[in-house]
Amino acid sequence: MKHLKILFLFLLFLILSCNGKENHPYTFYYWKTKLKLDLEEKKALDKATVPNLYTRFFDVDKVNGKFQPVAVITKDQSFQTDKQIVPTVFITNQTLLGISADEIKFLAESIHLLTQKKAKEYHLKTSNEIQIDCDWTAGTRNDYFKFLKELKRISGKDITCTLRLHQVKDKKQTGIPPVGKVYLMCYSTSSPLENFDKNSILDVNILKSYLSKIEDYPIKNIEVALPIYSWGIVTNHLGKHKLINALSKRDLENPDFRKISDYEIEVMKDGFYFGSYLNKGFKIKTEEITEEQLNNVIGFLQKKIPHFNIIYYQLDSKFVSDRKF
């Protein structure tokens, strides 16, 4: 009887440890310029257990000294969902360099007005939250934090922001943003154009080292953004790299390619591939995210953050079709 009890507890432990994802409600980021949903994306979104869809509305950059909205969303009739839309705005770090107090106010007003305008124009059911995505640094932190406060004052909304790995590790230098909730971005662990021997989307060991003290982070309301995207890294004869988005190893099955490994090929014939002209001898390496990597990250974070939702980046039929959430 004692042995049966031990076996039962062991099996229960296995089941619980394998079902880490099921303990966390989830949804997606939507990061395309044109809002549209195909059947696979609608199906995945309908099954998502968080009532929100985090939708990029536009980027903000500084062009010739002026603030500019970049790649503002448009909407297709196919974009129909019961989810509440959380407007998400990406701001480049250079936008904040040398910004004045008047410009901070102008930027906050402009972002609030444009998000309102697009939500109304496209009849989007928005939540009371605006999420700001910015890779701020020690040099821009003070002005960025002033901007977040100003946006909250002007909009009356709940202002949240993304949190990158280095901003956790170097929190003394980069500071703690004045928000009630942050979204921890568990991807982009290295540059795909530099660190060629690692998976640059997600290297679990790098992530663990950066987040070794995440339990000490002063903001306790943390949601977790996990990657499900993929890309291809093309290397030319000079060793220079460039990215082709949304490429997977299945795309590398081509009679004009010589397989080097499961994830890498050599181009054997000059031609157009994936919208780019590639010469013979160029190499393509794909980087994808496995279930094992995601479960490893979730298991690690569960020990440090008591409760969190998961937001997968990003909602695209290419990334959601064969994945279990």
Side-chain angles (χ1 to χ4, degrees), residues 25-116:
Y26 74 93
T27 186
F28 299 94
Y29 276 107
Y30 188 93
W31 215 262
K32 298 174 193 172
T33 304
K34 185 165 192 174
L35 303 182
K36 58 181 179 179
L37 292 171
D38 65 22
L39 287 174
E40 285 288 344
E41 290 157 359
K42 279 181 181 171
K43 197 161 69 176
L45 189 55
D46 286 344
K47 287 181 181 174
T49 49
V50 168
N52 298 331
L53 176 64
Y54 294 84
T55 306
R56 175 203 159 278
F57 271 43
F58 51 89
D59 301 343
V60 178
D61 201 1
K62 194 180 272 185
V63 182
N64 297 324
K66 292 185 177 178
F67 302 121
Q68 296 284 346
V70 179
V72 181
I73 52 165
T74 59
K75 180 173 172 284
D76 183 84
Q77 286 182 336
S78 67
F79 192 84
Q80 303 291 332
T81 177
D82 292 331
K83 301 289 184 192
Q84 279 203 316
I85 303 297
V86 178
T88 304
V89 177
F90 172 73
I91 301 177
T92 65
N93 192 50
Q94 72 166 11
T95 299
L96 302 165
L97 291 170
I99 195 170
S100 69
D102 286 343
E103 286 174 325
I104 287 171
K105 187 179 178 187
F106 171 78
L107 187 62
E109 284 173 346
S110 302
I111 286 173
H112 171 54
L113 289 172
L114 189 52
T115 53
Q116 276 195 316

Side-chain angles (χ1 to χ4, degrees), residues 167-204:
Q167 292 160 346
V168 176
K169 185 184 177 192
D170 304 325
K171 64 180 185 287
K172 284 185 181 174
Q173 289 81 20
T174 54
I176 311 300
V179 294
K181 186 198 286 188
V182 288
Y183 292 76
L184 181 63
M185 294 173 67
C186 293
Y187 44 91
S188 298
T189 45
S190 60
S191 167
L193 306 183
E194 292 170 15
N195 205 343
F196 201 60
D197 61 328
K198 295 190 183 325
N199 185 322
S200 61
I201 295 174
L202 175 59
D203 184 289
V204 177

